[in-house]
Amino acid sequence: MSFFSTPKIGIDLGTANVLVYVPGKGIVINEPSVVAIDTETQQVKAIGTEAKDMIGKTPDSIIAFRPMRDGVIADYRVTEAMLRYFIQKTLGSWNLLKPDVVVSVPAGITSAERRAVIEAGLRAGAGSVIPAKEPILAAIGAGVPIYEPTGHMIVDIGGGTTDVAVISLGSIVTAKSVKCAGNKIDQSIIDYVKRTHNLAIGERTSEKIKIKIGGAMRQSPENELEILIKGRDYVSGLPRQIKMSTNEVVIAIERELAIVIQTIKDVMHETKPELASDLIDNGIILTGGTSQLRYLTDLILAKTGIKAYLSDDALYCVAKGTGIALEHIDVYKKALLAK
């Protein structure tokens, strides 16, 4: 690469996290997609990890929130500021060339949402923006040979959306995107703890419960994990701690997992018979942070009869896909630009 060649950046613009991939370097940024705003001056106070640390701990004049909701832009101005921050942090302030950027978007994105991503990226300092669908990027990042004439099912479960797609010959043959993923699972745990234990917990505690002891299927007592959680008692208003087990989490998130399973079944119902037979041979490939939930592969096998595999570096598959696509843009451009 010459000194004056156009820089290239791949951005996994997730509801929960933003990952930035630079060809030749790998993933250089992995930070929460959270922005802290001063409501009195409308100024951005913090972005990323620093902003997430403020959640639930800020004075009334500062709000920390996620500008991405369900995988798409909910607050255009703040998303633009967030993208600018990550692009500048990646390239350094000395860089004068505008980068070519590949940005991940959900499979079910509308043309208006697609335009919003392009405009936000251009205004944030990109020279060109290619919005690429997450299932394609996840497949590339997971090492799936997408151009072969055989069907591969990708289930990408992130923070805001679950994308399920069958890919063959470099294109998405059939796909469905639902706004039910990690964030909804976190909220269902909050609701369960409130309903069952009369305890108020925040989203950071809920996420910790999911990661530390969460599971997709009920376990025997000897296989259960436990965690001590702290919160505020709804009746007394005082701090209190309780013990929570894996099977309680399974009960709490049953509805959300049922939606994910139904989405997989819906895509299977729409898949052509020849490709459906490929799925039996190739199995279902899971990507995305929430796909790492314990026993999720077992649940999918039990409900669909098809074996599921958790891809290596599941959390990073989409980000890696953006980087591989950028490094081999001539090979993947058609797949990325397909509507």
Side-chain angles (χ1 to χ4, degrees):
M1 183 184 284
S2 71
F3 184 78
F4 294 107
S5 64
T6 305
K8 291 178 169 50
I9 301 175
I11 300 177
D12 177 3
L13 188 60
T15 307
N17 295 285
V18 174
L19 286 82
V20 181
Y21 190 106
V22 176
K25 293 183 180 178
I27 293 166
V28 295
I29 290 174
N30 177 9
E31 292 194 35
S33 41
V34 180
V35 180
I37 302 277
D38 188 319
T39 54
E40 293 172 359
T41 63
Q42 294 303 305
Q43 295 296 308
V44 174
K45 302 294 287 183
I47 295 174
T49 303
E50 189 184 348
K52 187 175 183 182
D53 289 341
M54 294 181 177
I55 288 178
K57 299 179 181 180
T58 58
D60 292 342
S61 61
I62 297 175
I63 55 168
F65 72 105
R66 302 182 187 275
M68 302 292 294
R69 190 169 300 128
D70 301 330
V72 296
I73 293 174
D75 189 306
Y76 180 87
R77 184 181 69 86
V78 179
T79 302
E80 182 192 315
M82 185 172 73
L83 280 171
R84 182 179 291 110
Y85 166 81
F86 286 123
I87 288 172
Q88 288 179 353
K89 188 172 181 179
T90 302
L91 297 179
S93 55
W94 55 269
N95 188 78
L96 300 175
L97 296 170
K98 292 188 172 184
D100 294 332
V101 178
V102 170
V103 182
S104 67
V105 295
I109 196 170
T110 65
S111 56
E113 290 164 346
R114 186 185 178 93
R115 279 196 305 274
V117 170
I118 294 172
E119 288 169 16
L122 293 174
R123 288 173 66 94
S128 68
V129 179
I130 298 176
K133 291 188 175 177
E134 282 168 6
I136 288 283
L137 294 173
I140 294 170
V144 174
I146 65 169
Y147 282 108
E148 286 186 359
T150 180
H152 295 275
M153 177 175 271
I154 299 289
V155 179
D156 182 58
I157 315 174
T161 58
T162 295
D163 285 302
V164 182
V166 174
I167 297 168
S168 179
L169 291 170
S171 297
I172 293 175
V173 180
T174 180
K176 189 172 181 181
S177 182
V178 289
K179 294 171 180 179
C180 180
N183 291 352
K184 289 272 174 72
I185 286 173
D186 292 345
Q187 186 58 49
S188 68
I189 294 171
I190 291 172
D191 295 342
Y192 175 86
V193 173
K194 176 184 178 180
R195 190 172 63 246
T196 310
H197 298 287
N198 224 18
L199 196 71
I201 61 169
E203 61 179 67
R204 292 177 70 183
T205 301
S206 174
E207 186 180 29
K208 181 182 174 184
I209 293 167
K210 177 182 70 181
I211 293 168
K212 296 281 187 184
I213 66 163
M217 294 183 81
R218 296 192 192 195
Q219 300 298 305
S220 58
E222 61 269 18
N223 287 339
E224 274 198 278
L225 300 170
E226 288 187 334
I227 190 172
L228 203 63
I229 59 169
K230 304 176 183 78
R232 178 174 50 81
D233 190 286
Y234 271 104
V235 177
S236 69
L238 299 174
R240 180 163 63 90
Q241 63 182 21
I242 61 163
K243 198 176 279 187
M244 199 166 170
S245 67
T246 298
N247 285 352
E248 283 191 273
V249 179
V250 175
I251 294 166
I253 66 177
E254 273 178 336
R255 180 178 170 275
E256 284 66 34
L257 293 180
I259 292 171
V260 172
I261 295 295
Q262 189 56 51
T263 306
I264 293 171
K265 287 181 176 179
D266 289 345
V267 172
M268 285 178 175
H269 290 162
E270 295 170 14
T271 303
K272 295 172 184 175
E274 291 82 359
L275 292 175
S277 66
D278 291 338
L279 301 187
I280 296 170
D281 297 332
N282 296 329
I284 297 168
I285 298 139
L286 302 182
T287 65
T290 309
S291 70
Q292 298 172 109
L293 185 69
R294 290 175 190 82
Y295 319 121
L296 182 57
T297 53
D298 299 334
L299 179 69
I300 292 171
L301 175 61
K303 297 293 184 182
T304 66
I306 296 178
K307 198 162 179 56
Y309 304 92
L310 180 64
S311 58
D312 294 335
D313 293 330
L315 179 63
Y316 305 118
C317 280
V318 172
K320 284 167 67 178
T322 63
I324 294 166
L326 280 166
E327 288 172 325
H328 308 282
I329 195 71
D330 294 338
V331 175
Y332 291 114
K333 196 165 189 179
K334 184 183 174 187
L336 298 182
L337 294 175
K339 291 288 189 292

